[in-house]
Amino acid sequence: MWIAMLVLCAVGALEEAPISPPVPVEVAAPVTPGDAPVLQDTATVVLRLTIDEVGAVSRVEVRESAGAVFDRAAMGAAVRWKFEPARRSGVPLEVQVDVPVHFAPMRAREAVAETPHGATGTTPAPPVMTELAVDDSTSSGASSEEEKAASRSSSPGFSTTVRGVAEAPPPVAVGDFHIEVGQLADVPRNSASDLMLLAPGVMLANHGGEGHAETVFIRGFDAGEGKDVEMRLNGVPLNEVSHAHGHGYADTYFIIPELVDSLRVTEGPYDASQGDFGVAGTVEYQLGLARRGLTASASYGSFASRRLALVWGPPESSEATFVGLLLRQGEGFGPNRSFANATAMAQVELRLGDDTRLRLLGASYGARFASAGVVRETDVVDARLPCAADADSQFFCFYDENQGGASQRHLVSAELQSRLKRGGRLVQQGYVVLRQTRIRDNFTGFIQDTPPGEDAQRGDGTEGYYRGSTLGLRGRYTPGLTLLGQSRPLELGYVARYDDVRTRSRRLRDSGGAPYSTLFDNQVRTTNLGGYASLRVQPLDWLALRVGVRLDTFLFGVEDLNRPAVDRDGPRIPEESLDAYGFFASPRASAEVKLSPRLTWLTSAGLGARSSDAAALSDAELAPYARVASGETGLGWRLEGASRPYSLEARGAVFATRVSQDFVFDERLGRNQPIGASQRLGAFATGRLQWEDWLDTQASVAGARATLPAPGASAWKLWDGAVMPYIPALLGRVDASVRGHVTVAGERLGWNVALGHSAVGPRPLPLNRYSDPVFLFDVGTRARWDWMELGVSVENVLDARWRETELNYVSNFRGPDAPASLLATRHFSAGAPRTFRGTFTLYLDFEEDAP
């Protein structure tokens, strides 16, 4: 209640923020190129300019093309333009503006005597610029009739309308990263999941094959396939509740990498908008296609891998409108690793007037994959596996050919963004997701089954089946007001999500893979209703404070379809229904101190939660939740500006986390199981250097110690306790891309060289054992001439024999009649060897030569 009163008092103190538009000082118009085609009508290029705090144009993008010749001419002139910067309350601001540049046909040119502000053009005569409009798609400014009136009187021939200030939202923590993929897309990657490696302290592993969700290690957490990391795509949640393979399962293979414009990775529960599964943090993919026209890419590589990608952005539309198709197929780098999948994604942005736009997103995905699973290291060393006896064949071999799976996903989303009076913003989104997966694993061989009577042991294979539909609404409202000089400090949001799923797990026979026993079979219906409020104020020039709270309620309805047909009282119906309810509140807060114009000290703290797996609830239970308390403090430094051809950013922080209920992988069930409270203490550092369009490089290092606290130990002793298995203590990552041009035989050729390097420290295993460290290097190079490009990439350049997943437990894969050893030993899934891939790409602009 006190939080609501605080918010209401804050709203009462808000007032409008005056904004003055940028004023042109030097805007000499471009000259129509001599090699330009003859125009029959006016050709218009719409440029998006980023005008920084000193009034210089720091970036130019083509939003609407009139052909490559006219685009180059307009961009070449725009980078030399000078402005008086936009201001709010006298403080210079960086803004983004859209400028249409018109190239007139010859008859019209003869009537043009001057450019805006009297700058005389040359023959052919210059174009006429008629409007300058600030785009507010990511803005935090305001709009008013007074501003528009002021802009109309700014100067003749060059009108300006300020609709917002384009600035990225301030981070909620040092570990809150808004990552533009940009040039780092050149680094070899297999899927959109690999883009998560751009955030520090992230490692990915996969024991299930090309199509199985990645196991994510982040911030010292084994987040499984999504149980501790919230995943979203353009706001649509991807985590699946009560999944048979693990609560929170989130598969991102369906996302086409070429369509990912940026990621927001928030490590830790520090933003009020973060919801269920955000224990270790939140990863949100933002889609967009910067390049207009059609890009067709075909790849062929080692192990008969084939990839075809088609992405198209209509030239007359924004980056938010695109169509993409991705087809992948291959035999895999060893036996029982074949895969095939296909994805189609499309989005369109419709402008419904000047103040509203509608984004419609659709995606459809299907996949089938085989899996080699895990093997015992002792069997590999002794060459007992059913493959050739040489070391490589044994390393990449398998036990059970029944392992693998299939997956389908269909998604639609509609998002309406409106700019309200006085600069407010309202976003409303609705979405529908249909999902089906089937995953088969065998981790222990022949020790779990207890057959009735004298029957033979049938095997420990498991099949997890999941079919679900999700309906959801989400929205946020930001009043266009100010408090203590801070524009739009308040944000209010809500979520409403309904899941109707069938989740089931069965045991499979070793021979033929037929099911013989049901472990669980549930029909689950879950409703999640939540809301949040976040307030950011700046009482002093050097101090900004943020407070927020999120409230979530869950209603669980479960139909257990696997109850016994007879109990102690006699025959009964083998089904049972139960209901449960849960509620939790999660406050979050941060303090930002500006130590200098470039150096910031940011301290954040927050509570988060993970909802219950509905299959573990009892009737009328007050559903328990795993609670996480996390804190972080660190520094952020950034150097950039129009006078510099480069930008440099560096961050570093230390963090501590405590979770009331954690999970560790249980080989007997093939999924994570609860083990009690856990804690973490760690640190990270990361830096990124961008030098114009030539160099983009990023490096990070992170370390964390995850432990299980001893009973009765002090909560402040975050370093003490038994080390949690499987979580790497040290992670490092480097991504770099260099681009340039050379002239060969009078032809201009573009080139690119990219490098990716991952270093993974020893991972603790049960019984006080550790895995070997892993060092991987990937390189790629490309050459482009005109509309054709040829590329070659090599992953795992040093051909390391590395273990992607390492476990330690008891198993018996020799057969049902072999005596089972009770001695735990290492099991692993092999990582990919050296892999080559060649790619041929066509960049087709069908409308380039249109007048």
Side-chain angles (χ1 to χ4, degrees), residues 209-439:
E210 295 273 353
H212 185 284
E214 303 280 357
T215 298
V216 181
F217 295 85
I218 179 172
R219 204 177 180 86
F221 280 86
D222 175 359
E225 290 93 359
K227 69 178 179 65
D228 285 334
V229 59
E230 181 185 19
M231 298 278 195
R232 297 191 295 230
L233 173 69
N234 275 21
V236 179
L238 303 181
N239 300 82
E240 295 160 12
V241 299
S242 301
H243 195 282
H245 200 64
H247 186 44
Y249 185 90
D251 175 14
T252 59
Y253 265 95
F254 75 98
I255 302 174
I256 300 176
E258 287 87 343
L259 298 179
V260 178
D261 176 68
S262 63
L263 291 87
R264 183 184 180 187
V265 181
T266 305
E267 299 189 9
Y270 303 128
D271 193 322
S273 66
Q274 292 177 268
D276 195 15
F277 304 108
V279 173
T282 300
V283 176
E284 178 160 9
Y285 290 85
Q286 295 290 342
L287 301 179
L289 183 62
R291 187 187 180 278
R292 302 287 85 191
L294 175 67
T295 301
S297 175
S299 303
Y300 186 84
S302 303
F303 317 111
S305 67
R306 302 173 292 279
R307 185 181 192 272
L308 175 65
L310 302 172
V311 294
W312 176 58
E316 66 278 3
S317 63
S318 70
E319 296 178 5
T321 298
F322 54 77
V323 177
L325 175 67
L326 177 62
L327 306 176
R328 298 175 68 247
Q329 188 174 6
E331 297 177 1
F333 57 85
N336 216 55
R337 289 181 172 88
S338 61
F339 63 91
N341 54 61
T343 299
M345 303 184 75
Q347 180 173 276
V348 61
E349 181 179 75
L350 305 174
R351 294 195 175 271
L352 310 178
D354 292 337
D355 299 325
T356 304
R357 58 185 177 177
L358 175 66
R359 286 186 180 180
L360 303 176
L361 170 66
S364 187
Y365 167 75
R368 174 70 177 86
F369 57 93
S371 171
V374 298
V375 295
R376 288 170 59 102
E377 187 164 357
T378 54
D379 288 349
V380 173
V381 173
D382 297 336
R384 295 177 181 149
L385 297 179
C387 297
D390 63 280
D392 272 1
S393 296
Q394 290 287 305
F395 186 82
F396 296 110
C397 200
F398 71 107
Y399 292 117
D400 186 353
E401 65 181 7
N402 294 319
Q403 298 179 96
S407 177
Q408 298 181 49
R409 181 189 292 271
H410 308 283
L411 177 156
V412 294
S413 166
E415 182 182 63
L416 187 69
Q417 300 185 14
S418 300
R419 186 174 58 249
L420 308 177
K421 292 182 179 180
R422 307 192 179 195
R425 295 291 300 271
L426 179 65
V427 178
Q428 300 274 32
Q429 183 178 23
Y431 56 86
V432 178
V433 181
L434 304 179
R435 185 81 166 102
Q436 179 173 308
T437 60
R438 186 169 71 100
I439 300 174

Side-chain angles (χ1 to χ4, degrees), residues 467-657:
R467 183 184 69 238
S469 58
T470 302
L471 307 177
L473 296 172
R474 60 183 291 270
R476 64 182 185 273
Y477 169 56
T478 308
L481 307 164
T482 64
L483 174 63
L484 302 178
Q486 176 71 37
S487 67
R488 294 198 290 196
L490 177 66
E491 180 175 294
L492 305 173
Y494 75 92
V495 294
R497 172 176 172 173
Y498 172 74
D499 291 272
D500 186 354
V501 306
R502 177 77 177 271
T503 178
R504 181 182 66 210
S505 180
R506 291 175 171 173
R507 288 287 188 199
L508 305 179
R509 290 178 185 164
D510 176 66
S511 175
Y516 65 82
S517 176
T518 298
L519 300 179
F520 61 82
D521 188 352
N522 297 315
Q523 183 77 37
V524 179
R525 296 177 176 88
T526 304
T527 298
N528 171 211
L529 301 176
Y532 67 88
S534 177
L535 180 66
R536 186 179 189 273
V537 295
Q538 191 167 350
L540 301 170
D541 291 340
W542 51 270
L543 176 64
L545 303 174
R546 179 195 295 265
V547 294
V549 66
R550 181 182 176 103
L551 306 177
D552 279 279
T553 63
F554 284 84
L555 180 63
F556 302 93
V558 181
E559 294 181 38
D560 188 340
L561 307 177
N562 189 43
R563 303 301 294 168
V566 178
D567 60 18
R568 67 178 65 182
D569 296 324
R572 54 159 292 170
I573 296 175
E575 299 178 6
E576 189 171 348
S577 298
L578 63 90
D579 293 280
Y581 175 81
F583 167 86
F584 60 82
S586 302
R588 290 96 190 254
S590 64
E592 179 181 341
V593 178
K594 288 190 176 296
L595 303 177
S596 75
R598 299 190 181 97
L599 183 63
T600 301
W601 175 27
L602 189 55
T603 300
S604 305
L607 295 180
R610 180 201 314 116
S611 65
S612 300
D613 186 337
L617 297 173
S618 57
D619 193 27
E621 180 179 9
L622 182 59
Y625 297 95
R627 302 304 304 266
V628 54
S630 183
E632 175 188 276
T633 185
L635 300 174
W637 180 81
R638 185 172 181 86
L639 178 65
E640 64 178 353
S643 61
R644 299 181 179 88
Y646 61 86
S647 65
L648 177 62
E649 182 178 15
R651 300 191 195 186
V654 296
F655 61 86
T657 302

